[in-house]
Amino acid sequence: MMRLHPVHMTRLLRFASVFVAAVIAVGIDCYGQMDAQFSQYYEMPTYYNPAAAGSTEYLRVRGGTRIQWVGIDNAPRTIVMAADMPLRLFKKNFGVGLVMNQENIGLYRTMSLGAQLSMRFKLFGGELTPGIQLGFIDQSFKGSDVFIPGDDDYHEDNDDAIPRNDLRGHAFDLAAGVWYTHKWFWASVSMTHLTSPAITLSSEASSGSSAQQDFEFTAGRTFYFMAGSNIPIKNTLFEVMPSVMVKSDFTFTVSELTARVRYNKFLTFGVGYRYKDALIATVAADYRNFYLGYSYDYPTGDIARASRGSHEIFVGYRVKLNKGDKNKHRHKNIRIM
């Protein structure tokens, strides 16, 4: 029978109590935020917090896709890619990263790109890493594909508020956060869209009109809290990996709890719950620095009447970096080997 060491049990109970307190404090359902939603948030931390860039000793490259609400036409479809690595410069430890995301929802398309920089400091037996992200958001609307049925009682075919030309606009974007890593746990606080950028979607003048149509969309600030731990089970090859995410745009808030078990640092199985939204099942494998992860969301709200759930797949690769001055793996010229 597998048994947790008393010290590890105490850490797990403390982590669980923090999560329960967070859920009670912010237990409001959230359904509409600009950033994409990923059930495997713990595998794509730099998407939510630029301070996670360079938080390991690896060059990490990861990408994935999420197919939201299968069975519903024009539901969100998301693609994300991220890369980060540690960097030793001027005798200081930095992290750098890039992240790209594209999401299609109906006739809307949003693409974001960001460059990340973080700096690592020793603190309380761990590392505290503040980070910043500079980037931009590009948004478009396929107005030329708008179709209003003749028997629609809610919209008028000549409504000027409904654009009929293709629209596009972009804006500068900024994100920042803090990441803390300890041998027992990790924790993260961040905020995206710090400047709350206003994106002006512009189109050419429509037929019969001399005026250009402009529509404005504001990307609201979004706060994220993430935390997790790796707890080995004594005398086994198993480890328990609980994690939590709380996100809020200060109008709506949602919390998510994930519990995973990993065997021999190879196979991982887990379940999760997103408050008033979905039950989550996940499976993943790490092999020779390669990563493959899959998750399935079963909706628990009214949307379950129309959707068969959501699917998410991530793949990745990592390479261990040696930042020291003396690299025992240094390459030699073949002529002098």
Side-chain angles (χ1 to χ4, degrees), residues 91-138:
K91 298 183 179 181
K92 302 291 183 180
N93 291 318
F94 295 89
V96 292
L98 290 172
V99 62
M100 184 278 290
N101 174 69
Q102 178 174 309
E103 185 170 57
N104 297 325
I105 305 176
L107 301 181
Y108 284 94
R109 182 189 67 87
T110 301
M111 195 271 285
S112 61
L113 179 67
Q116 303 167 331
L117 177 66
S118 65
M119 188 171 183
R120 299 159 66 176
F121 302 92
K122 299 291 185 180
L123 183 67
F124 302 135
E127 285 190 336
L128 180 69
T129 309
I132 190 171
Q133 174 178 303
L134 304 178
F136 76 95
I137 303 173
D138 183 278

Side-chain angles (χ1 to χ4, degrees), residues 60-335:
R60 299 182 296 183
V61 180
R62 293 211 165 168
T65 183
R66 180 178 176 86
I67 303 174
Q68 184 106 348
W69 299 329
V70 174
I72 298 178
D73 293 338
N74 298 317
R77 299 291 186 267
T78 308
I79 297 174
V80 65
M81 295 188 66
D84 73 288
M85 60 177 288
L87 180 66
R88 181 74 175 176
L89 190 63
F90 306 122
K91 298 183 179 181
K92 302 291 183 180
N93 291 318
F94 295 89
V96 292
L98 290 172
V99 62
M100 184 278 290
N101 174 69
Q102 178 174 309
E103 185 170 57
N104 297 325
I105 305 176
L107 301 181
Y108 284 94
R109 182 189 67 87
T110 301
M111 195 271 285
S112 61
L113 179 67
Q116 303 167 331
L117 177 66
S118 65
M119 188 171 183
R120 299 159 66 176
F121 302 92
K122 299 291 185 180
L123 183 67
F124 302 135
E127 285 190 336
L128 180 69
T129 309
I132 190 171
Q133 174 178 303
L134 304 178
F136 76 95
I137 303 173
D138 183 278
Q139 193 170 60
S140 61
F141 177 76
K142 196 71 172 177
S144 58
D145 288 347
V146 170
F147 171 73
I148 300 177
D151 58 352
D152 191 330
D153 296 330
Y154 299 96
H155 305 92
E156 296 182 5
D157 190 58
N158 59 352
D159 189 344
D160 291 338
I162 302 176
R164 296 308 181 89
N165 291 341
D166 295 344
L167 309 176
R168 188 172 183 179
H170 59 271
F172 171 77
D173 196 23
L174 180 67
V178 177
W179 184 276
Y180 184 74
T181 304
H182 194 274
K183 63 180 180 180
W184 295 335
F185 69 93
W186 57 269
S188 161
V189 174
S190 61
M191 184 174 291
T192 58
H193 317 303
L194 274 171
T195 60
S196 192
I199 305 169
T200 300
L201 303 179
S202 300
S203 71
E204 298 297 331
S206 58
S207 177
S209 172
S210 60
Q212 176 176 299
Q213 291 179 295
D214 289 333
F215 300 83
E216 188 172 278
F217 174 82
T218 300
R221 300 179 184 90
T222 305
F223 168 84
Y224 293 94
F225 168 76
M226 296 185 292
S229 179
N230 285 28
I231 305 172
I233 302 176
K234 189 176 181 181
N235 299 325
T236 75
L237 296 176
F238 290 91
E239 55 187 316
V240 179
M241 300 187 295
S243 60
V244 61
M245 170 187 270
V246 178
K247 52 188 175 183
S248 175
D249 63 0
F250 305 101
T251 300
F252 299 104
T253 302
V254 69
S255 51
E256 184 171 339
L257 174 65
T258 308
R260 294 177 293 150
V261 176
R262 183 165 63 180
Y263 172 72
N264 198 27
K265 299 189 181 300
F266 171 47
L267 288 176
T268 302
F269 301 91
V271 293
Y273 175 65
R274 187 178 304 114
Y275 184 68
K276 287 188 177 181
D277 183 56
L279 295 172
I280 303 162
T282 183
V283 60
D286 287 274
Y287 181 72
R288 295 184 180 273
N289 293 330
F290 288 94
Y291 173 83
L292 175 63
Y294 167 79
S295 67
Y296 170 73
D297 293 16
Y298 177 78
T300 58
D302 292 339
I303 201 169
R305 300 174 184 175
S307 171
R308 299 188 297 273
S310 305
H311 301 273
E312 192 176 288
I313 298 176
F314 275 96
V315 296
Y317 182 72
R318 65 180 188 177
V319 178
K320 183 68 176 291
L321 299 178
N322 189 332
K323 299 182 297 178
D325 296 330
K326 295 182 179 181
N327 186 349
K328 65 180 180 180
H329 301 294
R330 183 179 299 165
H331 295 288
K332 297 180 180 180
N333 190 310
I334 191 172
R335 292 176 296 181

